[in-house]
């Protein structure tokens, strides 16, 4: 299995260009199932998760063509309504085919995604919403089966904002009869970008990006040609790397507006940040100040950057706390960071970090996508060599990560 080797101590400088957002591309690719004809998507990142969703779409009967960062999908031959365990277990986001399948084929059978390293991750809110729209749902043999002769618009209230839940139900509502109102909807930019794409297909969706989304159902949707928004989590990972290494990084092709919570916190650490259209320049401070963070649904501080920020706090001057409010097991990186010398105590959903630690390289294990990124960041400032195994997690969500870090001056390579 591949390993990533990082020799710490280099200051990162230069330019990095941000790839398309994985979590925007995944729902947008599944939205192709709502149309007949070729949809064209540009700026699709080359990631394992994207390969997984393409395989799943093909398995359902869609044609998929890839040419560099351009992916074309034609779902006019959509025939199979079943997403099998083998494909879904590789990626939870496969649940995003549930609502498009019910909307197009009147039925779907999708393997239940189950939990993952970071939490139980139920899909009860997706299922409740779909039931409210008139689908009958059964859970049997590890599969969720949903059927509806027609979907009817209704009021759906989410007990908590769910990103893929909002996206799934927005896709169902786009082709439902009548009006659907999603309340306490997720406000993430990826939700708004899916709504933009659906509207370009001919849907009638208002309010995406706010907590109330109103969808007037239409009878059919047309193929589109669109570009995927930049990945805000990749952007935040490079911003944190600059802050951590006293670096000076110019981050291009990003969307600063999607990162205001992160920019605010990084400024509080003493980082110097300049924002212009599609570009963020981050200069790391000589002495990193400690700040507390609490992960929250957008526009709060993203849970997907919590692990990376924890590394920064491990070497910052002073003490800090990180509260994780989204996923119940998202501190699995803590024990690995401790192996590198971090001083972190976890009580419930709060991590207490005593800063000013000098990290030293060691073999560590990646446990999930964002935890893996945090281990690379830790390796960048640790003395000596950090050897990260199980890097397949990283390949699920960061495009060309070693190359991008190497171009900024990091000593990082992959071994087979
Ligand atoms: N939740 C429920 N019931 C549901 C759905 C969610 O209780 O039916 C709970 C979850 O357990 C969690 C909270 O609601 O406590 C929020 O979960 P959400 O549904 O928003 O997460 P998700 O849609 O499964 C997406 C991203 C994650 C990201 C979260 C939070 C995609 C494909 N995945 O997951 O991305 O962490 O939103 O922002 O969009 C990653 O990229 O590394 C990643 C994990």
């Amino acid at each position: 299995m591949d390993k990533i080797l990082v020799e710490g101590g280099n200051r990162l400088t230069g330019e990095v260009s941000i790839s398309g957002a994985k979590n925007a591309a995944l729902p947008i690719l599944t939205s192709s199932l709502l149309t007949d004809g070729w949809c064209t998507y540009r700026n699709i990142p080359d990631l394992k998760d994207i390969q997984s969703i393409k395989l799943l779409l093909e398995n359902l009967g869609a044609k998929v063509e890839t040419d560099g960062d351009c992916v074309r999908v034609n779902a006019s031959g959509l025939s199979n309504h079943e997403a099998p365990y083998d494909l879904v277990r590789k990626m939870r986001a496969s649940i995003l085919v549930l609502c498009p399948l019910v909307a197009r084929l009147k039925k779907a059978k999708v393997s239940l995604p189950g939990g993952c390293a970071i939490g139980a991750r139920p899909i009860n809110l997706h299922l409740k919403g779909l039931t409210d729209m008139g689908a009958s749902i059964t859970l049997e043999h590890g599969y969720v089966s949903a059927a509806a002769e027609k979907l009817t618009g209704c009021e759906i209230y989410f007990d908590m904002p769910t990103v893929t839940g909002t996206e799934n139900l927005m896709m169902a509502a786009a082709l439902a009869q009548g009006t659907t109102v999603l309340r306490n909807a997720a406000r993430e930019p990826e939700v708004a970008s899916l709504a933009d794409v659906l509207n370009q297909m001919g849907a009638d969706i208002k309010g995406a990006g706010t907590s109330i989304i109103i969808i007037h159902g239409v009878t059919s949707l047309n193929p589109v040609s669109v570009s995927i928004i930049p990945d805000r989590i990749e952007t935040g990972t490079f911003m944190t790397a600059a802050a951590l290494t006293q670096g000076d990084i110019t981050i291009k092709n990003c969307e600063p507006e999607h990162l205001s919570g992160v920019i605010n916190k990084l400024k509080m650490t003493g980082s110097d940040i300049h924002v212009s259209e599609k570009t963020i320049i981050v200069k790391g401070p000589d002495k990193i100040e400690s700040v507390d963070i609490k992960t929250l649904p957008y526009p709060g501080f993203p849970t997907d950057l919590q692990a990376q920020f924890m590394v920064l706090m491990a070497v910052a001057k002073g003490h800090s706390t990180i509260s994780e409010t989204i996923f119940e097991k998202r501190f699995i990186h803590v024990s690995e960071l401790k192996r590198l010398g971090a001083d972190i105590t976890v009580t419930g959903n709060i991590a207490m970090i005593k800063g000013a630690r000098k990290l030293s390289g060691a073999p560590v294990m990646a446990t999930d996508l964002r935890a893996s990124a945090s281990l690379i960041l830790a390796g960048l400032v640790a003395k000596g060599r950090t050897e990260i195994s199980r890097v397949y997690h990283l390949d699920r969500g960061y495009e060309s990560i070693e190359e991008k870090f190497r171009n900024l001056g990091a000593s990082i390579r992959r071994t087979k």
Side-chain angles (χ1 to χ4, degrees):
M1 258 192 285
D2 291 8
K3 284 185 181 174
I4 286 185
L5 308 181
V6 187
E7 297 283 343
N10 294 4
R11 183 171 172 257
L12 302 193
T13 56
E15 272 186 24
V16 62
S17 179
I18 295 304
S19 301
K22 164 179 85 78
N23 290 346
L26 292 171
I28 287 172
L29 284 166
T30 65
S31 74
S32 321
L33 299 178
L34 298 168
T35 72
D36 268 331
W38 285 102
C39 291
T40 304
Y41 306 112
R42 290 173 308 280
N43 204 28
I44 297 275
D46 182 12
L47 301 170
K48 277 269 170 343
D49 275 8
I50 297 294
Q51 285 166 21
S52 301
I53 206 79
K54 288 196 289 193
L55 268 181
L56 178 54
L57 294 177
E58 280 175 335
N59 190 270
L60 296 170
K63 289 198 188 98
V64 180
E65 291 178 359
T66 303
D67 180 8
D69 74 351
C70 178
V71 174
R72 300 177 74 231
V73 184
N74 185 332
S76 49
L78 182 66
S79 49
N80 179 11
H81 69 283
E82 188 168 330
Y85 175 67
D86 256 4
L87 292 174
V88 176
R89 75 181 166 84
K90 292 197 181 118
M91 188 188 56
R92 302 191 78 266
S94 305
I95 193 64
L96 283 164
V97 300
L98 177 70
C99 287
L101 284 176
V102 177
R104 270 298 292 289
L105 297 179
K106 304 186 192 309
K107 59 183 177 179
K109 186 174 174 191
V110 179
S111 174
L112 282 163
C116 77
I118 62 176
R121 307 189 70 180
I123 54 158
N124 58 313
L125 300 174
H126 303 226
L127 302 186
K128 181 181 177 295
L130 198 52
T131 309
D132 290 349
M133 293 180 81
S136 64
I137 296 202
T138 49
L139 301 178
E140 239 176 11
H141 308 301
Y143 278 80
V144 49
S145 296
E149 261 321 297
K150 71 175 170 97
L151 292 170
T152 310
C154 63
E155 288 258 341
I156 294 173
Y157 179 84
F158 293 106
D159 285 344
M160 62 180 80
T162 154
V163 176
T164 48
T166 304
E167 291 164 348
N168 231 341
L169 291 166
M170 217 160 60
M171 290 191 276
L175 284 180
Q177 222 171 65
T179 300
T180 303
V181 182
L182 304 179
R183 294 190 188 275
N184 200 21
R187 291 178 285 167
E188 270 67 4
E190 294 76 17
V191 173
S193 101
L194 173 65
D196 278 350
V197 171
L198 292 170
N199 281 339
Q200 287 186 53
M201 287 176 172
D204 182 355
I205 303 175
K206 293 191 179 68
T210 76
S211 57
I212 302 176
I213 304 179
I214 300 167
I215 306 139
H216 299 291
V218 297
T219 50
S220 67
L221 295 172
N222 308 308
V224 282
S225 174
V226 291
S227 188
I228 302 298
I229 59 169
D231 195 309
R232 66 194 165 97
I233 305 303
E234 188 196 13
T235 309
T237 303
F238 283 108
M239 290 172 74
T240 311
L244 194 59
T245 62
Q246 292 179 10
D248 184 349
I249 303 184
T250 300
I251 304 169
K252 299 250 181 198
N253 299 322
C254 61
E255 189 46 81
E257 238 183 67
H258 295 167
L259 284 138
S260 43
V262 179
I263 290 173
N264 173 48
K265 286 293 173 184
L266 281 177
K267 280 187 174 167
M268 289 167 73
T269 68
S271 302
D272 187 14
I273 302 185
H274 288 273
V275 168
S276 53
E277 208 195 332
K278 307 272 177 237
T279 301
I280 304 177
I281 301 172
V282 185
K283 293 185 184 146
D286 292 338
K287 279 253 179 294
I288 303 161
E289 300 290 335
S290 289
V291 288
D292 297 338
I293 63 161
K294 184 177 192 175
T295 64
L296 287 170
Y298 188 84
F301 192 94
T303 174
D304 290 346
L305 284 171
Q306 178 256 105
Q308 298 89 316
F309 207 83
M310 188 178 281
V311 177
L312 189 61
M313 290 304 99
V315 299
K317 135 181 144 192
H319 296 188
S320 57
T321 59
I322 294 185
S323 315
E324 170 58 55
T325 74
I326 308 293
F327 292 116
E328 68 277 16
K329 288 202 273 183
R330 214 172 200 182
F331 281 143
I332 32 176
H333 44 280
V334 169
S335 48
E336 299 303 296
L337 293 179
K338 280 165 105 167
R339 300 197 65 250
L340 299 174
D343 186 343
I344 305 167
T345 313
V346 173
T347 314
N349 72 331
I350 296 179
M352 279 176 302
I353 303 139
K354 286 188 187 156
R357 305 299 299 174
K358 297 263 179 273
L359 304 186
S360 63
V364 284
M365 210 161 5
T367 42
D368 82 288
L369 170 56
R370 308 304 173 185
S372 315
S374 80
L375 295 177
I376 292 192
L377 294 190
L380 291 174
V381 284
K383 190 160 185 277
R385 172 183 288 190
T386 299
E387 192 177 301
I388 305 161
S389 52
R390 298 200 181 162
V391 295
Y392 50 84
H393 290 293
L394 212 52
D395 297 334
R396 288 190 36 220
Y398 285 93
E399 187 177 52
S400 313
I401 187 158
E402 303 108 90
E403 196 187 324
K404 287 187 182 184
F405 272 121
R406 222 174 10 250
N407 288 343
L408 294 169
S411 170
I412 178 169
R413 68 190 167 88
R414 186 180 287 237
T415 59
K416 294 281 170 196

